[in-house]
Every structure is written in structure tokens, then in C-alpha cells.
Amino acid sequence: MKNMTEVSERITRFHLGKEFAAQEILGCHKENDEYVFRVWAPHAQKIWLTGDFNDWSKSLEMTRNSEGIWSITTDLPQEDQLYKYLVKQADGTEIMKIDPFAIQLEARPGNAAVIRDFPQKKWHDGGWIGRNKRSNHFARPINIYEVHLSSWKRHEDGALYSLKELQKELIPYVKQQGFNYIEFLPLTAHPLDASWGYQTIGYYALERTYGTPEELQDFVEACHNENIGVITDWVPGHFCKNDDALAYYDGTPTFEYSESWRAENKGWGVLNFDLGKPEVQSFLLSSALFWLELYHIDGLRVDAVSNILYRDYDRAPGEWTPDKFGGNRNLEGIEFLQKLNRTIKGCHPESLMIAEESSAQVKITGRIEDGGLGFDFKWNMGWMNDILRFYEMDPLFRKFNFNLATFPFMYRMSENFVLPLSHDEVVHGKKSLMDKMFGSREDQFDQLRNLYTLQMTYPGKKLLFMGSEFGQYIEWRYAEGLDWDELSDELNQKMQLFDKKLNELYLNQPSLWQLEQKEDSVVIIDADNKDESVLSFIRQGKIRHDFLIVILNFTPVERKDFHIGVPYKGTYEEIFNTARSEYGGTWTKPKQKFETKDSPFKDLNYQIHVDLPGFSAMIIKPVDIHIKRRRK
């Protein structure tokens, strides 16, 4: 039982924006044989606790303290019963509200909170936790499989897979395919599947259609014991505007900005948090830590960061006012994100903090001390947009737009990047990744393999949305499972095998991830061959002789006896060729081996001659090379 001094001190910290486990004080808690309920609603006239235990009546009126916290202690409730708060708002309106700190809500269509304790699990994932704490995630492979939990797979009658069923099927599948992280679209409670979880109502509650808190704990533990990390999307930028949720909780701007133009998020039809308000900071920081700690989640991908950073985001001229310096920065938002990362890293330095952000005005992954936001990684939206535009176009025109494939090399050191081929790119009429590719069905498969090889060999961590690994042709549909029937087609089977082999190559080749934060991790061989539309570069590992040569042919034309520069004299061999028949291509020739020619090629002293299939990506590795010892 918490003593009143501790409660009072922590409530004070909540009001100062310094309480990072607010769910332990606010919400519903059992103390001895009674339950204590506390909720923050500073401008409410009255609040009643109402639920199954009092026939949803006004018999349990709560008491307000001087700081706007309402509370009641009662022995009437029992575990698993439902409750809400009946709030008499500032204008006298009475409305049922959810408990913002509930850790479980009832099944839809209702959203009452469930009375229950925090699950007490005896964890058995110490091996993973220890390795994770000792490792440097910047210098290790991170290959993420992005999943919408309710549409990865469904039963024949349309029923969702439970977390228990997904534990048996999704985890082995992810391991088999060679991914080492799963990233879930938001797991937080939301009222409508069509929002994919991004319109949150419960920042501490697991979406009930997905399962129970205990089932999620077991799922994460099972992932860790297979050396698979778990990341979840988390949305501090906005929240669902449903009347019975957080919106204008006490009848006045409570969680949202007081200025209506800042509170309203027009693009999403939601409300924006007032990130400068201390109580909101305590609420959100506690939520972030809650998911990391209660569920052993390994990281958070913070969604819609641009909406937090800029006052004019998604607004026309005249719909916003400048900050105190006359600019468009959301100064409170920037300070909040810095505080978020400082807090998370102070408690869990091994946690991954990833930002989804599309501008270049603010340093996202820079050190907070240098004015950055402190994230570990940022989604590389520029790379994604340029590359997909490039692959969508007729190969005849790629030579005129070759910079789309090469320009991202120019800014690759500006941030620590994740290369996302995410859910956002395969929905709302954008077509699946497979259907984006130009040409015939066979050409599409050829180019999709080429695209994935570019992603896997280009500097940055990797993310691929579910279904893309086997080349699903139709767009993602949130209300249905993936089109697994496509795997009855031989080309889809071979695409799935290709993805598995490519992922394995990535995980097993240190040159693809050891030095991503260093300039010399990439050496461009030739980025000027626009006419033939062939791009070539080297990925360098820590050891001088550990490197890979990557050649990408963006046209269907086979390039015989193609000259390519190499750094050292000796022998080389092909280790990966996307055009091979086992992957769905037509190339059946033996793997090529190469002897260097003593002839310079651009900045390199030697060259090899390669037969390069059309639409292929080829990876070559040194076998026996002669490296001159550097002078000290």
C-alpha cells in the first residue's frame, strides 16, 4: 500500500511533468481489500465512479483535491468488472469518459475500462536482454518485418488470429525468413480498425481485439528467445477525438492545446496533444516507459514527428501563427521530443528510438547537446520516395532520371537512417510494391528482386511491410489477411525464397552493417553510367579485405563483358545474383569467377569483366586479393 506522503509527492511530480510512472498513481489500483480510483480533470464540476458494481449509477461521487485530481476509495468493485467516469464538465454537461490510465478496455464496441492489476510475469528472456544491453545497435544488423497484427493472417471465417496463435505461426515465419525484428503498427487501444491503430484512445491499454496483456508479454518473451526484437509504433502527436475518450476531458482543453487551430489535426481528423503542458508530458512519458517495461518492448517508432515539430504542418497560409521567434517551429514539441529521448535513454539506453519524419529542417538523430532530438534512427523518406518513383518508370526513361537512384548517397550521412518500404506505400491506391514495378509479370518480379537488393545493400537499417516478401500483387487490406493463396504460384514461392536468402546474406555479411555511421562504409565505383543505367558501389567492413561489390542493372538489357572497377588485384566471385532461376529469373549459367585486369577504372586501379543479366542485381566478393600493407 502506498502511503499518502508518497502519493502526494508523485502527484506533485505529475503536475511538474516529472512523473514517469503515472499509471502507478492515477487510474485504478487495489490497496488491501479496497480499490482506489484517481483521475485528472481540473475543471470538472463533479465526477462519479460508475460501473458494473453500482449499476452505472451516481452512487459513488469522487472528491477533488486542490490540484484537480479526483479520487475515491471503495470496496464495491471486483476484479474484471467494468467502469467509467461520469464527468460533469465545466459547462455542466454530463458525459461518460474512459479512464486514461486503464491497462485494459472491454471488447468493442464498448470501451469501458476493466478492473485488473498489472500482470506480474516471471520473465525468461534474460539472454536476449543481456545481449541487447551489451551490443551497439548502430553497428549490428537490423532487419524489420512490419506487421499489422490483425491482418497478417485470418481464419477462414474472417476471425482474427489471437496473440497465442500468432506466437505459434508469426514468430517461426519471421525467423525462417531471416528478419530479426518485428515492428507492430500501434498496439494501443483504438475504436476503429480503419485507423490501423493510429487514432488511439488508450495510451496504456493493449487493443482488446489483439489479446490480453499477459498474452503480449508471452509473445514478446517468445520473440526474444528466438533472438527476434519487438518494436511498436507509438503516437504522441495526436489522439482520437471521440467524446468519451480523452477529448476535452473536463469540458475544457485538458490534453489538447487551448488554441483551437493547434488542437485540431485536420489531416487525421484527430486532436493534438499540448506537449508543453507538464501533466501531458507526465502522461505520455509514462506511457512510453510503460510499454518498454511491462512488455519488454525493445523500441518505439514515434509516428508523425513532423506534426509535432512544425506549427504550420498540414496548414494553409493564415491558418497558423508563428512561434515567438517568428518561425514555424513548435518549440514545445521539440522540447518534448528531446525530453522523451533523454528520459528513455536515461532509463533504458539499449532501447531503439525511431522517428517517422519527412522534413530536413531539424536534426532528428543528432545529439540533444548539439540541438538534435536524440532519436537513434529516422525513416529515410527521401530515399523511399525517390527509389519508388525510379522503379515505377519505364526503363527507357531511367537514364534521364538516374539521379533518383544516386542522389540519396549524397545525404546518407546526414542522419542515422532506416530504409522503409512500409505499409504507407502499399495502400490507398498506391499499389503493392509488386504492382508498382514496370512491365510484364516476369519483369515485375525481376525488378522487385533488384529493388530489395538495393535496399539491403544500401547503408541503413531495413524495414519491409508484411506480404511484400512474397510479392503480394494486391494492395494491403486492413480488414483481411494477406493473400497467402498467392504462394500456390511458383513465382511467388521463388520470391519468398529469394527474400529469405537475401535476408540471410544481410545478416551474415558484416560489411553491410558494421560501419554505417562512417563515411568510408561506401565507395562509389560508378554512379555516372546513365546511358546503360547501371549503378555500382562497394560496401566496406571493418577489415580491409571484407567488402562486397554491388552492381545493379536497371534495364532489361543484358550487359556482356561489362567492365567494373575493383580496389585490389586478385580473384573475385559472384555470391548473389537476383536473375537466377531458383529466384524466378531465367539465368542458369554457373556462378562467375573473375580475375582482375591491370587497367584502371575511374578511381580504382583494377577492373573485372562481368556478364550482367537484364534487371539483375549482382553481389561480388573477393576470394584471394593482394592488399599492400599501409605505411605507418
Side-chain angles (χ1 to χ4, degrees), residues 212-228:
T212 66
E214 289 83 357
E215 289 171 341
L216 180 57
Q217 288 180 324
D218 290 345
F219 181 92
V220 174
E221 179 181 74
C223 283
H224 288 172
N225 289 332
E226 293 294 344
N227 290 319
I228 296 170

Side-chain angles (χ1 to χ4, degrees), residues 346-364:
C347 298
H348 302 285
E350 74 283 359
S351 293
L352 290 166
M353 295 298 291
I354 303 169
E356 186 259 340
E357 205 278 322
S358 56
S359 74
Q361 295 182 41
V362 176
K363 181 76 169 173
I364 304 299

Side-chain angles (χ1 to χ4, degrees), residues 383-544:
W383 174 87
M384 178 273 298
N385 283 309
D386 286 351
I387 286 299
L388 291 181
R389 278 181 58 206
F390 186 69
Y391 278 87
E392 287 172 2
M393 68 177 55
D394 187 326
L396 287 173
F397 300 106
R398 288 178 182 170
K399 64 182 178 181
F400 305 113
N401 297 275
F402 205 58
N403 64 306
L404 292 174
T406 60
F407 179 68
F409 283 107
M410 301 296 292
Y411 61 83
R412 66 181 179 84
M413 296 297 295
S414 63
E415 301 271 12
N416 302 321
F417 284 121
V418 171
L419 307 179
L421 295 173
S422 75
H423 66 280
D424 276 330
E425 311 316 315
V426 296
V427 73
H428 293 327
K430 295 180 183 178
K431 301 182 181 180
S432 67
L433 293 182
M434 177 70 181
D435 196 19
K436 291 179 194 289
M437 301 296 106
F438 183 86
S440 68
R441 178 167 166 77
E442 289 75 16
D443 287 345
Q444 288 179 319
F445 274 108
D446 290 346
Q447 291 171 91
L448 194 62
R449 295 192 300 271
N450 186 300
L451 167 63
Y452 291 174
T453 306
L454 172 60
Q455 180 198 33
M456 205 58 71
T457 56
Y458 190 91
K461 308 308 181 187
K462 325 299 176 185
L463 180 141
L464 187 68
F465 185 59
M466 63 184 197
S468 303
E469 75 277 8
F470 60 82
Q472 177 167 303
Y473 189 78
I474 58 174
E475 280 190 339
W476 168 53
R477 299 156 299 179
Y478 70 87
E480 302 177 34
L482 296 179
D483 194 1
W484 294 103
D485 288 343
E486 286 196 4
L487 285 171
S488 61
D489 186 292
E490 184 181 11
L491 283 175
N492 291 101
Q493 293 173 21
K494 290 184 174 183
M495 186 71 214
Q496 187 184 49
L497 173 65
F498 165 81
D499 179 75
K500 169 183 167 67
K501 295 298 183 182
L502 180 64
N503 289 342
E504 289 174 351
L505 181 140
Y506 169 70
L507 294 177
N508 293 318
Q509 294 292 335
S511 58
L512 293 177
W513 37 264
Q514 275 184 338
L515 301 178
E516 283 179 329
Q517 289 185 294
K518 297 186 180 296
E519 192 73 49
D520 57 3
S521 64
V522 175
V523 176
I524 300 296
I525 298 174
D526 190 358
D528 301 319
N529 191 346
K530 300 178 182 179
D531 290 339
E532 293 179 299
S533 295
V534 177
L535 171 65
S536 54
F537 56 90
I538 294 170
R539 288 303 310 274
Q540 179 65 54
K542 285 183 179 179
I543 305 170
R544 287 178 68 195

Side-chain angles (χ1 to χ4, degrees), residues 89 95-98 111 201 240-249 271:
Q89 296 182 316
I95 187 168
M96 287 284 197
K97 287 286 191 177
I98 67 167
N111 62 7
I201 59 173
C240 181
K241 68 192 308 182
N242 286 11
D243 287 342
D244 54 356
L246 300 182
Y248 297 97
Y249 200 87
L271 294 170

